[in-house]
Amino acid sequence: MRSFYLFIFLVLASRAEAQEVSALAIGDSLYAVGNYSKAIESYEQIKAKNERVYLKLARAHQAKGTLDDALVNYKLAATGTDEVIAMNEYGKLLITKRQFKEADSVFSALISVYDTNPDFYYQRGRANENRPRDISGKESDSVLVEKLAKVHDPLEDYERAIALDSTHQKALAEVATSYLKQKDFAMVEKLAFKALESYPTNVEIISTLAQSYYYKGWNEEGIQWFEKLLALGQDTQFIREKLGNLYYKKRQYEDAIEQYLGALKFAPEDAYDHATLAKLYNFTADLDAAEMHGLFAVLYKDQPLFEEYYTLSRTYEMKKEWASAMKYVNRSLDENPRNKSAEYTKAIIADNYYEDRRAVLKLYEDFIKKYEDGKYAKFDHTLKLAKERRDKLNREIFMAEGEEE
């Protein structure tokens, strides 16, 4: 009889085990085709769950987007550093959920056992890079030092990851970005070219390199690398504006226009892009386009608008529409009375628009009086032109008054 009961027990246990194996297999199949909710239901049917099942549940919840449930199951799966896969995925999800302190603890535990794994250092760097510091200005220096010492330095972790794996692209990108913020362009370029040796199309690294050249003023190189980003399909407003500005600096106005028009596709109401296009179209003598973008810049920009008004006045000046030119140069000066370029432009517009020569003469005289004692007045080409025009107007007025007598 005892043997019979033992037999029945083994049969039932075997059936239960078979059911659990079946539930696990079904769950895996459902997960593989993206039916995460059904996969979770199947895994939940397993009564005697172990770390492996909890890991599958965590992954299914993460794929579904139910991240809080994913965290719960990852925690059950990551019972120690021997469960390295679960702990690694758990730590990464903690970063995603902005639980940086907890993520630091997870990766620090992993590093204590696997201290030659470069990615664990990289992930700990991620955890601490945006971690808020619980620091108060009222605390003593010793307390502050102690608190800071408890937070691992992200840059040190990134550099440690690179030391362990010189081709770790994400760590290289983080360190290069750090040096870019410090304006250490030589280090940026050294790290970037190191990264590109093993991964020539790393767009994050190429972007950092392009910005390095941009900010150090190497226009040709900046153009080369921003164009590379476009060729790799990385078309953004930021890239278009930076590339447009580089072409602007090289006086390649048609190329600059192409880039700023590309930038407007991302932000059609961007006042800066419209204002820049207005200036560029002035340079290419496409004055109708300059007028259109100048008006859009005024429409879309908040105060102040003196630069946009001034650009419009220059457009109308070149179109010889003097009334409109005077209208916008006056608006520019209303907002910024010390806009020297606008003051001189107003005198030129008045010279073509006003019939009263003495009123025009006074504008030149006021401009000269305001700026002739400046530190660099003798090198001021605009001041020289104003003086020449003043002297000529004086002769014209004198001759006209003599003829009247």
Side-chain angles (χ1 to χ4, degrees):
M1 183 65 72
R2 185 179 300 173
S3 298
F4 175 76
Y5 286 126
L6 178 61
F7 172 74
I8 295 297
F9 173 78
L10 290 173
V11 168
L12 293 174
S14 177
R15 287 181 178 178
E17 184 177 351
Q19 287 176 347
E20 292 198 349
V21 170
S22 176
L24 192 64
I26 291 170
D28 289 348
S29 298
L30 291 166
Y31 178 86
V33 296
N35 195 341
Y36 304 121
S37 293
K38 290 294 183 182
I40 290 167
E41 288 179 13
S42 187
Y43 293 141
E44 290 289 6
Q45 291 174 14
I46 300 171
K47 295 179 180 180
K49 296 181 183 65
N50 56 23
E51 287 83 357
R52 185 167 65 120
V53 176
Y54 287 125
L55 180 58
K56 290 176 182 290
L57 275 166
R59 287 172 173 171
H61 275 294
Q62 185 167 0
K64 182 183 175 182
T66 47
L67 300 187
D68 289 337
D69 290 327
L71 280 177
V72 170
N73 284 283
Y74 270 127
K75 192 169 185 179
L76 292 168
T79 54
T81 54
D82 54 322
E83 301 293 339
V84 59
I85 295 174
M87 284 193 73
N88 184 35
E89 294 182 22
Y90 179 42
K92 290 178 181 179
L93 184 55
L94 285 168
I95 294 172
T96 300
K97 291 287 289 178
R98 303 187 64 80
Q99 296 182 28
F100 301 121
K101 184 177 179 180
E102 293 80 359
D104 173 273
S105 297
V106 168
F107 286 109
S108 292
L110 286 170
I111 288 168
S112 70
V113 179
Y114 307 96
D115 62 351
T116 59
N117 186 314
D119 201 61
F120 293 161
Y121 289 97
Y122 168 72
Q123 297 298 341
R124 190 170 70 178
R126 287 182 62 214
N128 287 300
E129 185 162 10
N130 297 308
R131 180 176 170 181
R133 303 295 190 258
D134 184 20
I135 293 172
S136 169
K138 297 179 180 179
E139 293 172 326
S140 66
D141 290 345
S142 60
V143 172
L144 290 176
V145 170
E146 185 181 350
K147 281 192 172 184
L148 289 170
K150 290 180 180 178
V151 179
H152 297 99
D153 184 275
L155 187 58
E156 289 181 5
D157 277 338
Y158 294 142
E159 290 176 336
R160 179 62 176 157
I162 295 168
L164 291 165
D165 177 3
S166 63
T167 66
H168 197 295
Q169 297 292 312
K170 292 182 178 180
L172 284 163
E174 292 290 352
V175 177
T177 300
S178 176
Y179 281 113
L180 181 65
K181 291 175 182 177
Q182 299 172 41
K183 299 184 179 179
D184 189 341
F185 303 123
M187 279 300 298
V188 173
E189 289 149 31
K190 180 180 178 181
L191 289 161
F193 285 117
K194 180 65 180 175
L196 293 174
E197 285 178 8
S198 56
Y199 186 16
T201 56
N202 184 331
V203 293
E204 189 176 359
I205 287 288
I206 292 172
S207 176
T208 304
L209 182 59
Q211 291 175 67
S212 178
Y213 285 129
Y214 178 90
Y215 291 119
K216 72 188 287 189
W218 288 25
N219 299 336
E220 286 285 356
E221 291 78 4
I223 288 170
Q224 174 190 344
W225 290 100
F226 276 119
E227 287 283 12
K228 177 77 171 175
L229 286 172
L230 289 178
L232 291 170
Q234 300 300 303
D235 195 355
T236 67
Q237 182 181 1
F238 175 83
I239 292 170
R240 293 284 186 172
E241 287 178 347
K242 290 293 181 284
L243 189 51
N245 188 254
L246 288 168
Y247 279 124
Y248 195 161
K249 289 177 181 177
K250 288 179 61 63
R251 300 185 180 182
Q252 294 177 226
Y253 300 129
E254 294 290 353
D255 291 324
I257 286 169
E258 179 185 352
Q259 299 308 322
Y260 279 105
L261 287 174
L264 280 179
K265 292 178 182 179
F266 296 94
E269 297 183 4
D270 190 295
Y272 167 79
D273 289 342
H274 281 295
T276 306
L277 280 164
K279 295 175 185 176
L280 289 165
Y281 278 120
N282 277 345
F283 286 125
T284 62
D286 188 345
L287 302 182
D288 289 338
E291 177 185 6
M292 178 186 73
H293 286 286
L295 290 169
F296 275 133
V298 169
L299 175 65
Y300 294 133
K301 186 179 178 183
D302 295 329
Q303 300 292 334
L305 292 166
F306 65 89
E307 288 188 5
E308 287 70 23
Y309 286 143
Y310 173 65
T311 299
L312 267 174
S313 73
R314 295 282 291 132
T315 300
Y316 286 121
E317 176 196 348
M318 288 186 279
K319 293 182 78 171
K320 301 188 186 304
E321 296 181 16
W322 304 115
S324 294
M326 184 60 74
K327 169 184 169 183
Y328 283 105
V329 79
N330 281 332
R331 286 188 178 181
S332 178
L333 288 167
D334 285 342
E335 293 205 10
N336 182 10
R338 294 196 61 81
N339 184 340
K340 183 180 177 183
S341 297
E343 289 178 284
Y344 179 65
T345 298
K346 179 175 180 177
I348 294 174
I349 295 168
D351 210 343
N352 290 275
Y353 182 42
Y354 291 170
E355 293 183 4
D356 186 344
R357 296 289 83 191
R358 287 195 174 279
V360 175
L361 177 62
K362 186 175 186 310
L363 287 171
Y364 282 114
E365 288 177 336
D366 289 346
F367 179 83
I368 293 164
K369 183 179 179 181
K370 187 172 183 178
Y371 294 107
E372 66 181 345
D373 295 327
K375 185 176 180 181
Y376 301 104
K378 65 180 179 179
F379 305 110
D380 191 333
H381 183 65
T382 304
L383 192 59
K384 178 184 176 183
L385 292 174
K387 288 179 178 179
E388 289 174 357
R389 185 56 184 154
R390 175 200 61 187
D391 295 342
K392 188 173 181 180
L393 278 170
N394 269 321
R395 289 194 296 271
E396 289 176 2
I397 292 169
F398 176 77
M399 294 295 292
E401 289 177 349
E403 288 175 3
E404 289 176 3
E405 291 177 2

